[in-house]
Amino acid sequence: MTLITIFLCIGLLVLLITWGKINPFLAFLITSIVAGICMGVPLENLGKSLQKGIGDMLGSLVIVISLGAMLGKIVAESGAAQKIASVMMSIFGEKYIHWGLVCTGFIIGIPLFYNVGFVLMIPLIFSVVNQYKLPAVYLGLPMLASLSVAHGFLPPHPSPAALVAQFNANMGVTLLYGLVIAIPAIILGGPVFALTLKKIHSKPLAAFQNETMPQEELPSKFNSFATSLLPVILLALTTILTFKAKDNESVKSFSAFVGDPAIVMLISLIVATFTLGLNRGISMKKIMGFYTDAVKDVSMIILIIGGAGALKQILIESGVSDEIAGILKDLPFNPLITGWLVAAIIRVCVGSATVAGLTTAGIIAPMVIQSGVNPELMVLAIGSGSLMFSHVNDPGFWLFKEYFNLSIKDTLRSWSMMESIVSLVGLLGVLLINTFI
């Protein structure tokens, strides 16, 4: 009965989002209340449980996600993202232009949220298509594969960051493992798979071919790369420093402080405010306007994450999460495969990678504690599963279809298959790392 109840509740969540067209945050709240009633949580405690779940989930994430959105905004508005793209194009040249797009997408995808990165990179893709007369899907898909992998695998993106917090994983270690897994996933799902797509006819709409900033107005190469990648650099350095200074408490304490995700993002944003903003003549008022707009862009993502926290809390307080953990633990699968599979099923049903990852975390969390599985790898396993087979219920599917002016069939053949490849390669990478640690 426990599993049946959970399946019905997840089914309700899926129906509310897909058939009912209800906002995912409201869908999570409604599902949490229904789940609490069905699982015997006292009615007088339901409201408090919802509040606690949302508070616990967002307490550690609001700072990271909000500051991450602000950093991405200043990187985009200052022209740093465009500068990175132009540098990568000049390095790789016409012959290896698609590899240049891949690297550009990955570097830009680290600080930028997926939808922002997508819209920002589309004009670059189309300008390269027009310049070199190459197939649009063949050129564009590898870059978008790298954006998608960064979104699903790497903190400080919302879903990986939330999973790190829920499993009490180390964000720096998760990022390092994620980078190792992301590279083969991007290569196979991007440039290698794109070789099979050269015959897909795509005539990108002229309306999406936006103007770019003049080169003389862009920031320098060093400024653009260093500022955009600063969160990754700080997380990597502090993680390495923590391992190296095991016996030095003062160094460990300093490293733990600087390496805290919220502090990393705050330092990065302060640096970016000066290097990409004030030092280049952008007024503080205008920069703060960018930041305000950035938070508006991610406000609904934050609420969805909070709604997932409410459902997780109901599962915990009802005692059902422990029962689920016991059932899942007895399945003839590696726990990492179980996490990936649950996330993949929810992703196919709901469409949202973020919703899939967060819903899975609430179900899997007790099993992580009981099984002793590596929490950093579980974050990546669920992140990989949350990218599986994007189709008509995923906004990303329609973004790709409309921007590239494709048929449903060709979108499934290109976009949906790419997402499935990076998901499967991600799982294989997680299992491979797990055999060596």
Side-chain angles (χ1 to χ4, degrees):
M1 281 302 297
T2 299
L3 278 181
I4 292 173
T5 303
I6 292 299
F7 285 141
L8 288 175
C9 288
I10 292 175
L12 174 63
L13 179 68
V14 171
L15 285 175
L16 290 174
I17 294 172
T18 56
W19 179 73
K21 308 299 181 187
I22 292 176
N23 180 279
F25 172 64
L26 296 177
F28 267 119
L29 288 183
I30 294 169
T31 302
S32 300
I33 293 170
V34 172
I37 293 171
C38 292
M39 296 173 191
V41 175
L43 291 178
E44 64 271 20
N45 293 342
L46 265 178
K48 293 178 181 178
S49 297
L50 297 180
Q51 293 171 30
K52 177 173 171 51
I54 293 172
D56 288 352
M57 177 67 82
L58 294 183
S60 60
L61 288 175
V62 169
I63 297 175
V64 174
I65 294 174
S66 299
L67 294 181
M70 293 178 190
L71 178 62
K73 192 73 170 179
I74 193 71
V75 167
E77 295 289 347
S78 66
Q82 185 183 327
K83 184 67 175 184
I84 292 170
S86 63
V87 170
M88 299 307 291
M89 294 304 99
S90 63
I91 290 173
F92 285 89
E94 181 177 353
K95 186 175 180 181
Y96 301 105
I97 194 74
H98 54 298
W99 289 101
L101 289 171
V102 167
C103 293
T104 303
F106 191 56
I107 293 169
I108 291 172
I110 291 171
L112 293 184
F113 288 111
Y114 179 79
N115 288 349
V116 177
F118 186 105
V119 174
L120 187 70
M121 288 297 97
I122 282 296
L124 170 66
I125 293 171
F126 292 167
S127 65
V128 173
V129 166
N130 291 333
Q131 182 177 349
Y132 297 108
K133 307 303 178 187
L134 292 169
V137 174
Y138 165 72
L139 267 187
L141 197 74
M143 172 180 271
L144 300 178
S146 58
L147 282 177
S148 183
V149 168
H151 171 71
F153 289 15
L154 305 179
H157 284 272
S159 183
L163 294 172
V164 164
Q166 258 188 277
F167 296 147
N168 198 27
N170 182 294
M171 189 169 285
V173 174
T174 304
L175 180 61
L176 291 175
Y177 287 164
L179 289 170
V180 171
I181 295 169
I183 293 170
I186 291 169
I187 291 172
L188 293 175
V192 173
F193 175 60
L195 291 172
T196 67
L197 306 175
K198 286 185 175 182
K199 293 184 179 179
I200 289 183
H201 177 71
S202 168
K203 188 177 181 182
L205 301 179
F208 296 138
Q209 299 180 35
N210 302 336
E211 294 183 7
T212 56
M213 292 173 63
Q215 284 293 320
E216 60 271 15
E217 295 181 13
L218 301 179
S220 68
K221 297 176 186 177
F222 177 80
N223 190 359
S224 299
F225 279 92
T227 305
S228 298
L229 295 176
L230 188 57
V232 177
I233 295 167
L234 288 176
L235 281 171
L237 288 177
T238 52
T239 301
I240 294 169
L241 189 61
T242 301
F243 284 121
K244 292 286 186 182
K246 290 182 179 178
D247 300 324
N248 191 324
E249 288 300 322
S250 58
V251 173
K252 277 180 65 179
S253 177
F254 174 77
S255 179
F257 167 71
V258 176
D260 182 274
I263 303 300
V264 164
M265 295 309 301
L266 182 59
I267 292 172
S268 301
L269 186 66
I270 291 171
V271 170
T273 300
F274 283 95
T275 58
L276 296 179
L278 296 175
N279 288 354
R280 301 188 60 252
I282 304 176
S283 68
M284 183 62 82
K285 183 178 180 181
K286 192 170 184 180
I287 294 170
M288 291 304 116
F290 292 157
Y291 295 166
T292 300
D293 291 340
V295 175
K296 290 177 183 176
D297 293 339
V298 298
S299 58
M300 188 48 63
I301 293 175
I302 292 172
L303 285 177
I304 292 170
I305 291 172
L311 180 58
K312 182 201 75 170
Q313 190 63 30
I314 293 295
L315 292 175
I316 291 172
E317 295 199 6
S318 66
V320 168
S321 59
D322 290 329
E323 293 182 44
I324 295 171
I327 294 168
L328 293 176
K329 193 171 69 172
D330 293 333
L331 290 176
F333 299 127
N334 183 311
L336 295 169
I337 296 177
T338 303
W340 179 89
L341 186 61
V342 173
I345 291 169
I346 296 174
R347 155 71 160 185
V348 171
C349 293
V350 176
S352 167
T354 301
V355 171
L358 296 172
T359 306
T360 303
I363 297 170
I364 296 292
M367 187 181 73
V368 174
I369 298 170
Q370 292 183 20
S371 66
V373 68
N374 183 290
E376 290 81 20
L377 291 181
M378 182 58 86
V379 170
L380 295 170
I382 293 175
S384 300
S386 72
L387 296 179
M388 185 66 182
F389 195 69
S390 161
H391 59 98
V392 294
N393 61 2
D394 177 18
F397 177 92
W398 295 102
L399 268 178
F400 183 80
K401 178 191 179 299
E402 296 304 321
Y403 271 77
F404 283 81
N405 200 19
L406 297 172
S407 66
I408 292 282
K409 177 184 174 183
D410 284 338
T411 309
L412 286 168
R413 181 184 160 198
S414 54
W415 172 261
S416 300
M417 288 306 298
M418 178 274 289
E419 290 279 81
S420 301
I421 290 169
V422 299
S423 176
L424 290 166
V425 174
L427 173 63
L428 292 174
V430 166
L431 295 176
L432 190 60
I433 291 177
N434 190 52
T435 61
F436 290 103
I437 61 171

mmCIF file with all atom_site columns, all heavy atoms in Angstrom, residues 161 249 354 371:
data_model
loop_
_atom_site.group_PDB
_atom_site.id
_atom_site.type_symbol
_atom_site.label_atom_id
_atom_site.label_alt_id
_atom_site.label_comp_id
_atom_site.label_asym_id
_atom_site.label_entity_id
_atom_site.label_seq_id
_atom_site.pdbx_PDB_ins_code
_atom_site.Cartn_x
_atom_site.Cartn_y
_atom_site.Cartn_z
_atom_site.occupancy
_atom_site.B_iso_or_equiv
_atom_site.pdbx_formal_charge
_atom_site.auth_seq_id
_atom_site.auth_comp_id
_atom_site.auth_asym_id
_atom_site.auth_atom_id
_atom_site.pdbx_PDB_model_num
ATOM 1  N N   . ALA A 1 161 ? 22.367 21.764 -7.093  1.00 0.00 ? 161 ALA A N   1
ATOM 2  C CA  . ALA A 1 161 ? 22.623 22.456 -5.825  1.00 0.00 ? 161 ALA A CA  1
ATOM 3  C C   . ALA A 1 161 ? 21.644 21.992 -4.749  1.00 0.00 ? 161 ALA A C   1
ATOM 4  O O   . ALA A 1 161 ? 22.024 21.777 -3.583  1.00 0.00 ? 161 ALA A O   1
ATOM 5  C CB  . ALA A 1 161 ? 22.526 23.966 -6.016  1.00 0.00 ? 161 ALA A CB  1
ATOM 6  N N   . GLU A 1 249 ? 44.136 23.111 11.294  1.00 0.00 ? 249 GLU A N   1
ATOM 7  C CA  . GLU A 1 249 ? 42.757 23.488 11.570  1.00 0.00 ? 249 GLU A CA  1
ATOM 8  C C   . GLU A 1 249 ? 42.421 24.883 11.059  1.00 0.00 ? 249 GLU A C   1
ATOM 9  O O   . GLU A 1 249 ? 41.311 25.129 10.590  1.00 0.00 ? 249 GLU A O   1
ATOM 10 C CB  . GLU A 1 249 ? 42.477 23.401 13.075  1.00 0.00 ? 249 GLU A CB  1
ATOM 11 C CG  . GLU A 1 249 ? 42.396 21.983 13.605  1.00 0.00 ? 249 GLU A CG  1
ATOM 12 C CD  . GLU A 1 249 ? 41.295 21.171 12.929  1.00 0.00 ? 249 GLU A CD  1
ATOM 13 O OE1 . GLU A 1 249 ? 40.217 21.738 12.660  1.00 0.00 ? 249 GLU A OE1 1
ATOM 14 O OE2 . GLU A 1 249 ? 41.514 19.977 12.650  1.00 0.00 ? 249 GLU A OE2 1
ATOM 15 N N   . THR A 1 354 ? 14.275 19.809 -13.350 1.00 0.00 ? 354 THR A N   1
ATOM 16 C CA  . THR A 1 354 ? 14.355 20.269 -11.957 1.00 0.00 ? 354 THR A CA  1
ATOM 17 C C   . THR A 1 354 ? 13.329 19.543 -11.090 1.00 0.00 ? 354 THR A C   1
ATOM 18 O O   . THR A 1 354 ? 13.654 19.054 -10.007 1.00 0.00 ? 354 THR A O   1
ATOM 19 C CB  . THR A 1 354 ? 14.123 21.790 -11.887 1.00 0.00 ? 354 THR A CB  1
ATOM 20 O OG1 . THR A 1 354 ? 15.103 22.455 -12.685 1.00 0.00 ? 354 THR A OG1 1
ATOM 21 C CG2 . THR A 1 354 ? 14.240 22.287 -10.452 1.00 0.00 ? 354 THR A CG2 1
ATOM 22 N N   . SER A 1 371 ? 21.931 3.056  2.902   1.00 0.00 ? 371 SER A N   1
ATOM 23 C CA  . SER A 1 371 ? 22.800 2.223  2.064   1.00 0.00 ? 371 SER A CA  1
ATOM 24 C C   . SER A 1 371 ? 24.261 2.645  2.130   1.00 0.00 ? 371 SER A C   1
ATOM 25 O O   . SER A 1 371 ? 25.144 1.884  1.730   1.00 0.00 ? 371 SER A O   1
ATOM 26 C CB  . SER A 1 371 ? 22.330 2.276  0.605   1.00 0.00 ? 371 SER A CB  1
ATOM 27 O OG  . SER A 1 371 ? 22.495 3.578  0.071   1.00 0.00 ? 371 SER A OG  1
#
